[in-house]
Amino acid sequence: MTDTTTPLYRDPNAPVDTRVSDLLARMTLREKVGQLNQRMYGWNAYRRTPEGFHLTDALHAETTRFAGLGALYGLFRADAWSGVDHTNGPGAQDSAALAELVQRHVIDSSRLGIPALFVEEVPHGHMALDGTVLPVNLAVGATWDPDLYERAAAHAAAELRARGAHLALVSALDIARDPRWGRTEECFGEDPHLAARLTEALVHGMQGEPGDGFAADKAPVVLKHFAGQGATVGGRNSAESELGLRELHDIHLPAARAGVRAGAAAVMSAYNEVDGLPCSGNRALLHQLLREDWGFEGLVMADGLAVDRLARITGDAVSAGALALNAGVDLSLWDEGFTHLEEAVGRGLVSEATVDAAVVRVLRLKFRLGLFERPYSTGELPQAAQGRELSTALARGAVTLLHNNGGVLPVPPTVSRISVIGPQSATYAHQLGDYTAPQRSGVSVLDGLRRLAPTGTDIRHASGCALTGDDLSGIPEAVAAAAASDLAVLVLGGSSARTPDTDFDANGAARNAVSEMTCGEGVDLAGLSLGRAQHALLDAVTATGTPTAVVLIQGRPHVVPERAGALLTAWYPGPWGGEAIAEVLLGRAEPTGRLPVSVPRSVAQLPVYYNHKDIEYGSYVDADAEPLYSFGHGLSYTTFEYGPPRLAGDVIEVDVTNTGKRHGRSVVQLYIRRLLTPVWPRALELHAFQGVELAPGESRTAEIPFGTDQLEQVGAVEIRVARSARDALAVEPLVVRLRA
């Protein structure tokens, strides 16, 4: 017999869509609007006292306002903006208890017992106290290793869910086209195929296999930012994007398309505008393309305060909220506009049916998460050691050897005295990247070398200078240390570290660069120099004649003179990156990273990405137009030879041989050059890649699937297999005629 006393939406055996429809029919307009609002900063929902966590009046007021709570952002966020640190915030062991305390209040405040979505930042690991910090996306891109990243993403999801959170905001869709942009570190690189492969890995790792629900250790993702934010003019944050539709589709949408196909639960609309219309009010982008053309059925969340920005073109907050909802935004973030949706319905600016469609998507996600049956976390935190191992593995795989002209690396056994110099050498704080919670510990390059260098190695240290400023007083000490050593390791770079005295915008972006902050959201540069002091230090150390290896820790490619015997970049490698860098310097690990972005010779060259249109750009009269190091470049401590590519069915085969004396990993990169096209083609396009690990003298045939269905054209293409984009232009191509 059917139990008629229990509402259908409470029946866990009923289909999700049936439960959603039943619940929606019971809701008032006010309750519906409440599900579409994400107004609070989560750290304002609680206060920590010696007796434990207490809920604030602000949370009570918010749940009263809408008879519940749709979503809550950043309950566990910890950083200089939120003011949360180890003294006042939830750590790994008490986060679940805080989440339960808040969720119980939300459910009790809701007439229908609707739980809230807890939304968290997971840009490179969960941005919470004691969360595992991974290397930034640009470093992940340098690994060219989707499988490793998928495992790391799965660990981040397990941490998030065990602490009681549900939805992960993850940067994935921005493509780095101008390294002056402070958020370049959040991009997987300049190439759409590389970004698409890593976005797939992210979705699979965090969400698991596509299905009606999510496992207890899996988290639905919000892929951000949709779309074209990496193409803002002048590399300035949130500026306009001058994008034609073909450039948008060729470069800036493939990663989003891949994420949608992989089953991503949600996307976040970006700040920038496309063809004059901001993304959060762009129905052609959010509805026509995303929902109708791509068949996306998930959630669209606006970026922080993006809905209210629409008032600049609509006139007021009410009409701004209506524009965003009509365009396809389902869930706001901190905006006032969506709080007036009842009024917007009354004024005829938006229909209640449109409100219902958005509410359905919010509720469906809550049911898929099982929140009505399991509103509180019961999972166990994954082992912290496992997170550290994965983070270090990513950092190790990202270390990229750009040149080794002096043959100074790996450090030879004859070296007994090493000087470790530079503003990045003895700190891990600047290895972390933006969107990072306060850390309890880490490993600097100096720490790593002291731990791993052979017994008896004399390792001395001098900072030489700060990351910013013109103080050169520390250079003489650094010169003395270098002159007395067999090898100088000079660690330079930038930092995205924020401090409490940072002046923040309302959305958390840095309004001013403080202390040694040279990168991150809101910190855009007009130039790409490391600064006067760091360049003076580089000049002084190399002038001693001591063999020097420069290590760059950075969130964007900087322009660095090639005066040292070796140059590596590790990007922002995370808190344990110093260990990974030391392993590579000492030869305990191979440098396997490959550039995810081109490195310019000067800022005057920009743009320098490899996949420009195939015309004879020529050179400048006063400078070389080619990048200093091309996309895909990276050296090893061994050497590889590639045979000619050959077509075997739908597979491209190429023989790869390790011709050196050390084990190594080569990334086989398959580029195409279109010969006959209805529109002007690009010089090269990365079509596939594959990592191949080989022992000295070993040969192996790399088999790379070649899907002609992805090319969307009939004609002929050149297949070029090489170690980098620049090398691809010099190799003999295989011409393949495509079937109609």
Side-chain angles (χ1 to χ4, degrees), residues 240-276:
E240 67 270 22
S241 299
E242 295 179 344
L243 287 171
L245 285 178
R246 186 162 298 279
E247 188 76 7
L248 181 68
H249 281 265
D250 285 356
I251 302 297
H252 299 278
L253 290 178
R257 186 76 175 102
V260 168
R261 283 175 169 165
V267 299
M268 175 180 282
S269 55
Y271 284 125
N272 59 284
E273 48 90 2
V274 174
D275 197 24

Side-chain angles (χ1 to χ4, degrees), residues 86 130 133 388 428-429 431-432 437-444 447 451 574-576:
H86 292 288
D130 304 325
V133 177
R388 174 171 177 167
Y428 65 85
Q431 296 174 178
L432 304 176
Q439 297 298 294
R440 297 183 189 272
S441 62
V443 179
S444 68
D447 294 333
R451 293 181 189 181
W576 305 288

Side-chain angles (χ1 to χ4, degrees), residues 342-422:
E342 282 186 89
E343 181 182 346
V345 170
R347 287 169 52 180
L349 299 176
V350 66
S351 69
E352 187 166 354
T354 302
V355 172
D356 288 352
V359 175
V360 163
R361 287 188 277 267
V362 174
L363 294 178
R364 184 185 293 138
L365 184 56
K366 293 182 178 184
F367 280 113
R368 290 180 66 200
L369 278 161
L371 296 186
F372 285 82
E373 290 74 52
R374 301 176 303 278
Y376 318 118
S377 172
T378 57
E380 291 187 8
L381 280 166
Q383 293 294 319
Q386 180 189 24
R388 174 171 177 167
E389 180 180 334
L390 287 165
S391 181
T392 306
L394 281 172
R396 189 183 301 116
V399 177
T400 306
L401 181 60
L402 298 180
H403 80 75
N404 196 17
N405 299 336
V408 300
L409 295 178
V411 178
T414 54
V415 168
S416 61
R417 297 171 298 174
I418 301 175
S419 57
V420 185
I421 299 168

Side-chain angles (χ1 to χ4, degrees), residues 61-349:
E62 192 69 14
T63 50
T64 298
R65 184 179 189 183
F66 291 112
L69 197 66
L72 182 64
Y73 168 93
L75 181 63
F76 303 129
R77 178 166 178 161
D79 64 340
W81 180 40
S82 64
V84 176
D85 57 27
H86 292 288
T87 68
N88 60 5
Q93 300 307 316
D94 50 14
S95 292
L98 173 60
E100 180 173 343
L101 182 67
V102 175
Q103 190 72 283
R104 285 188 184 278
H105 171 73
V106 171
I107 293 173
D108 290 345
S109 301
S110 169
R111 178 178 63 90
L112 297 166
I114 304 174
L117 284 172
F118 293 154
V119 181
E120 292 289 309
E121 295 283 4
V122 191
H124 47 109
H126 186 193
M127 189 183 174
L129 300 173
D130 304 325
T132 297
V133 177
L134 303 174
V136 297
N137 278 5
L138 200 58
V140 171
T143 69
W144 291 59
D145 193 341
D147 292 338
L148 175 59
Y149 183 49
E150 183 173 331
R151 296 196 298 273
H155 181 89
E159 284 191 348
L160 180 83
R161 292 300 305 279
R163 296 176 75 146
H166 311 121
L167 197 56
L169 305 182
V170 190
S171 297
L173 308 184
D174 299 332
I175 304 297
R177 304 300 269 181
D178 190 327
R180 293 174 296 179
W181 187 36
R183 303 189 78 168
T184 296
E185 65 185 81
E186 297 181 44
C187 306
F188 289 130
E190 69 185 39
D191 179 77
H193 178 76
L194 178 61
R197 287 286 310 279
L198 291 167
T199 300
E200 290 170 348
L202 166 68
V203 174
H204 290 151
M206 295 204 77
Q207 293 193 173
E209 293 300 318
D212 291 337
F214 299 93
D217 62 347
K218 297 298 181 183
V221 298
V222 182
L223 298 176
K224 58 181 191 177
H225 307 87
F226 189 74
Q229 186 166 266
T232 53
V233 172
R236 297 189 298 274
N237 196 43
S238 299
E240 67 270 22
S241 299
E242 295 179 344
L243 287 171
L245 285 178
R246 186 162 298 279
E247 188 76 7
L248 181 68
H249 281 265
D250 285 356
I251 302 297
H252 299 278
L253 290 178
R257 186 76 175 102
V260 168
R261 283 175 169 165
V267 299
M268 175 180 282
S269 55
Y271 284 125
N272 59 284
E273 48 90 2
V274 174
D275 197 24
L277 200 56
C279 292
S280 291
N282 195 323
R283 184 174 173 82
L285 182 70
L286 301 182
H287 183 80
Q288 179 63 52
L289 175 69
L290 185 61
R291 297 205 184 281
E292 295 193 1
D293 295 350
W294 290 3
F296 179 66
E297 296 180 347
L299 195 70
V300 174
M301 181 188 299
D303 207 341
L305 299 173
V307 171
D308 285 354
R309 292 187 183 189
L310 298 177
R312 175 65 177 82
I313 57 177
T314 67
D316 62 17
V318 179
S319 54
L323 174 61
L325 190 70
N326 283 322
V329 172
D330 302 309
L331 187 63
S332 72
L333 184 57
W334 315 322
D335 292 286
E336 187 67 22
F338 262 35
T339 67
H340 298 292
L341 286 178
E342 282 186 89
E343 181 182 346
V345 170
R347 287 169 52 180
L349 299 176

Side-chain angles (χ1 to χ4, degrees), residues 516-540:
E516 296 177 312
M517 190 176 184
T518 63
C519 198
E521 185 177 5
V523 187
D524 310 316
L525 298 181
L528 294 175
S529 169
L530 289 174
R532 177 171 174 256
Q534 291 197 62
H535 280 273
L537 179 62
L538 173 62
D539 290 343

